[in-house]
Every structure is written in structure tokens, then in C-alpha cells.
Amino acid sequence: MPMGFAMTTSTEICAKQPDISYTPDFVKYQARTRRRLQHEDLAEDLPAGFPSTLIGDLVWDGSLDAKYKWTYELSVEEISELDEALATFKGNTHVGLKKPMGYINQVTFPLPTLHQTLREVSRELHLGHGFKVIRGIPVDRYSRKDNLIVYAGLSSHIAPLRARQDHQYNGKPADVVLNHIKDLSTSHTNIGAPAYTADKQVFHTDAGDIVSLFALATSAEGGKSRLASTWRVYNELAATRPDLIATLSQDWLAEDFGKTGATAKPLLFHQQPTEVSPQRVILQYARRYFTGFGALPRSPAIPPISEAQAEALDALHFLGEKYNVGLDFRKGDIQYVNNLAIFHARDGFIDTSEKQRHLVRLWLRDPEYAWAIPEALDERWKQLYDNVTADGEAFPLEPCIRSAGSGTSKG
């Protein structure tokens, strides 16, 4: 539920935030864990209904590369089909529609041969291991706009719904469905999100069902993409620290950087099996909403997180590091990740004048395979997907900081 600053008491304002920052500190994490185990009466049972163990393809660790081939390399024929679809959408053939980019879909960007392969990718995201990489987009062959058309067009065959990532573009209302991920720290001072820096990005989830990243260019050094199974992390915590499962499943006050003050909801959700879906656990969180980052610090008007919550944040990150797989993200790769069951991180990187890391991102949803969304996330999902119109969709061609990552967004 939304909470305004006016609801915060003076006692809460004076309460002290734990010694925790956006950058995880393993020594402090170990010390906090020791203190809590020694001095607190911690729950020994899982919350009611939560499973002791999750099973299935979504439970994996760093050894997954020996068992699962997650990269699909496009053939020469499939790239030719992309070229034909691009020409069709742009109106360079007799069936061209000459529509704005918001009209990119499976019909206007036809892939008669590749379509079934991409539908299998969606199935793998939702019912398999939870991620896939499409390799071989010939970035240098296309203009910037054509690269974005190809990206959105191919992606529409995996998940046709594009989410709103920002509500304005160039100072005007818009459904911004594509975001550039690039180090802008040399040209901007109001950065409140690590996506726009070259810093290490800690484990987190984005918003929406599927997060996708397309590599237009890679860095000179570093920047490896890392994925970890939240189900594998869940199993570890359920076996060793059920109290942290309880902490994660309770309401947390997340900073929303000036919109209403804070929002309260759990980070971890359990879904019982139904006739059409198995038992599931869903994790949704980003560390910066509880610690602040850069130009967007956590407001002192919001009650601080607890020591238990601080330990839980660190436990998630360090277990993510323990069980992650590192992806060899190359120029022309498109990464698709089930954002409800996998969280991700990024190593720090170094750009040069010749090589500068530049990704573009879509948040997607596929109604055919989509997971049920917990009630506490309904409002957020409506903000993402409801009333996004083809005429209103915006695909910025150049990098800019979206409202939620800008220090100017704080009220």
C-alpha cells in the first residue's frame, strides 16, 4: 500500500538504518549473521505453505553450462528472414505498412520459418531453465533504428507485449518501451541507478515478466552478465535459514523516490500448484530501493530497514554470486530472462573511446505462457502493461536516463 511522508512519525525518522549500502560487504554480512544467530531467537520453521524444496529445471547453479545449451545461433537463412521482415515493416515491399514502431508485431514483422523456434524460446523461459540467448544479429549491417526494429520484431515472436519503462519522452507523455543501458556518468551528474554507470551492478530483478537485453556494443574490458536461479537460492535459505524466508515474505517499505513516499509489499511470494501450473516461488526486488544509490539516496523520512532485512538483502546477493552462471555477452546477442524466477547482476566494466558498452532493453510478457502475478504486484503490472498503445509507444534512438533512475525524479 502507498505510504506518504506525512504518515512517518518523528520516532521513525530518528530510527537508524543498519550499516548497509548498495555495494554489498561480505565481512559486514558475516558479522551481522553471527550477531543475529548468537543474540536473536530466530524462526526455525518456514512460513505456512512455503515448500522445503523446489524442484525442476529452474533449480540450477554455476555448473549449468555442462548440462544446458542456452545460446541459439542464428543461421544465414534466418538472418535473411530478419532482413526480409525488416524490409516488410519499413514498407520496402508491396506488403509494407509504413507504420510507427509501436506497430511492430508478429504480423507486421513476419518470420514464417523462425517463428516456431522463437515460440520454443518462450516456452523455455516460462517452463524450462528460464533464460536463453539469441546470437548473431548483424548489428553493423543496420542503422540504429533498424537494429531496434529488428530487436522489437524478433522479440514480438517470443513475447508480444512490451511494457512501459517510462511515462514521458522529450518532456511529453509517452509509453517508453525501450531503454538504453550505457555508462552516462561522464555526461550526467544526476544518476540514481547503476545501469547508467560502469559500476558493478548487484543482484536484482527488473520489472515485468521477461527482461531482455540486446548488445549493440560491448566494453573494452569487463561487464560480464551474471544470472542466478532464485529457486536455487530459495532452496539454500529454506534448508539453512528459514527465518530469512519469513523475512523476505513479509512486507518491506521500498523507497519510490518521491512518488508517494514508500510502498509496502513482500519481496518473496509463494504460489500453490493449480490444475494448470506447478508450485512456484517468485522474487521481485532491487537493492537500491532499500539502500539508495548515487543521486537517489533512501529518504530519512521512511522508516529504516531492519537488521533482519539487511541480512536478507546480503544473503540474496552473496548466494546469487555463489550459484551464478556468467554469460559471454557478445555484440549482436539478445538475452531473454524470466524475471520472476531468475535475478541478474553485472560486473563492472571499462569503456574506451573505441569500445563502449551499449545495451538496449525491453520488458516483455507472453500471454500464452505468462505466470500468474501475485496480488501485491497487480498494481505494478498494470503500470507496466495496461493501456500501452501502438501509437503511444516510444523507442528512443539515443541513451537517456529514465525518470526512475534520475536524481531529478525525487520529489
Side-chain angles (χ1 to χ4, degrees):
M1 68 177 181
M3 293 189 62
F5 291 116
M7 298 177 65
T8 306
T9 68
S10 58
T11 300
E12 289 170 331
I13 292 175
C14 293
K16 185 178 180 182
Q17 177 86 346
D19 183 14
I20 188 171
S21 64
Y22 174 80
T23 302
D25 185 315
F26 189 67
V27 173
K28 290 181 180 179
Y29 165 52
Q30 289 181 308
R32 178 174 284 113
T33 297
R34 285 194 299 269
R35 285 197 307 272
R36 298 195 65 236
L37 289 174
Q38 291 173 2
H39 302 297
E40 295 185 35
D41 184 16
L42 304 178
E44 297 181 356
D45 297 319
L46 290 165
F50 277 71
S52 59
T53 305
L54 291 165
I55 59 174
D57 286 345
L58 276 170
V59 181
W60 46 260
D61 58 24
S63 66
L64 183 64
D65 59 351
K67 310 168 189 174
Y68 169 54
K69 183 179 179 181
W70 58 69
T71 300
Y72 180 85
E73 191 145 5
L74 295 167
S75 68
V76 173
E77 293 76 17
E78 289 167 335
I79 293 173
S80 293
E81 189 168 270
L82 289 174
D83 289 338
E84 292 170 7
L86 174 62
T88 297
F89 182 79
K90 291 174 67 178
N92 291 338
T93 73
H94 67 284
V95 294
L97 300 177
K98 296 185 179 179
K99 292 284 189 179
M101 289 177 65
Y103 284 86
I104 296 172
N105 57 47
Q106 296 177 18
V107 174
T108 63
F109 196 91
L111 298 172
T113 303
L114 190 54
H115 171 81
Q116 190 54 45
T117 297
L118 299 178
R119 295 308 301 143
E120 287 301 316
V121 170
S122 183
R123 181 177 175 83
E124 181 67 41
L125 297 178
H126 293 89
L127 304 175
H129 295 87
F131 70 100
K132 200 77 175 179
V133 174
I134 304 295
R135 174 159 291 165
I137 303 296
V139 171
D140 293 335
R141 180 188 300 180
Y142 305 131
S143 67
R144 172 67 56 79
K145 185 174 182 179
D146 286 356
N147 269 303
L148 302 189
I149 293 172
V150 168
Y151 176 36
L154 185 151
S155 298
S156 73
H157 292 262
I158 294 174
L161 301 183
R162 293 182 287 268
R164 180 187 292 108
Q165 299 189 47
D166 207 346
H167 55 83
Q168 61 180 1
Y169 178 56
N170 285 337
K172 298 179 181 179
D175 297 326
V176 181
V177 297
L178 180 135
N179 187 39
H180 293 256
I181 308 299
K182 196 174 190 297
D183 178 18
L184 301 177
S185 59
T186 60
S187 56
H188 294 72
T189 59
N190 61 334
I191 295 175
Y196 305 111
T197 73
D199 298 343
K200 175 179 179 176
Q201 199 168 9
V202 303
F203 275 95
H204 66 286
T205 62
D206 279 20
D209 296 44
I210 297 169
V211 57
S212 172
L213 294 167
F214 175 27
L216 297 175
T218 57
S219 60
E221 182 181 331
K224 183 180 285 290
S225 177
R226 300 191 179 276
L227 305 179
S229 161
T230 59
W231 287 26
R232 179 64 186 88
V233 169
Y234 174 89
N235 284 349
E236 177 84 1
L237 291 175
T240 62
R241 292 295 303 275
D243 60 295
L244 293 182
I245 297 293
T247 296
L248 291 165
S249 67
Q250 296 162 359
D251 277 353
W252 292 48
L253 277 177
E255 166 76 77
D256 67 2
F257 303 117
K259 296 173 186 174
T260 61
T263 55
K265 57 177 176 277
L267 308 192
L268 186 71
F269 305 88
H270 173 242
Q271 295 180 326
Q272 296 286 357
T274 69
E275 293 181 357
V276 296
S277 64
Q279 175 174 240
R280 288 169 173 156
V281 163
I282 290 173
L283 178 71
Q284 281 286 285
Y285 88 108
R287 187 179 177 103
R288 74 185 183 97
Y289 293 112
F290 306 102
T291 65
F293 179 88
L296 287 176
R298 184 174 170 95
S299 171
I302 300 173
I305 65 173
S306 66
E307 287 291 325
Q309 289 173 327
E311 187 189 4
L313 285 177
D314 279 345
L316 288 175
H317 174 77
F318 288 114
L319 287 174
E321 287 197 332
K322 179 178 180 179
Y323 294 122
N324 84 90
V325 295
L327 272 60
D328 177 24
F329 213 14
R330 303 179 186 176
K331 183 176 183 177
D333 280 1
I334 305 177
Q335 174 181 293
Y336 296 94
V337 176
N338 182 331
N339 188 55
L340 303 176
I342 293 175
F343 57 163
H344 59 281
R346 179 198 72 201
D347 291 354
F349 61 91
I350 297 173
D351 282 342
T352 64
S353 57
E354 295 80 20
K355 294 200 70 177
Q356 297 185 10
R357 191 177 194 266
H358 188 176
L359 312 181
V360 285
R361 182 181 69 194
L362 292 171
W363 291 339
L364 304 166
R365 181 173 173 84
D366 180 6
E368 180 177 353
Y369 294 119
W371 291 15
I373 300 303
E375 183 177 353
L377 299 178
D378 276 347
E379 185 59 34
R380 178 58 175 143
W381 255 243
K382 289 177 181 177
Q383 294 170 3
L384 294 171
Y385 295 105
D386 281 9
N387 303 314
V388 176
T389 65
D391 288 314
E393 285 188 22
F395 294 76
L397 296 181
E398 297 299 329
C400 58
I401 300 175
R402 68 189 184 103
S403 301
S406 171
T408 60
S409 71
K410 198 166 179 73

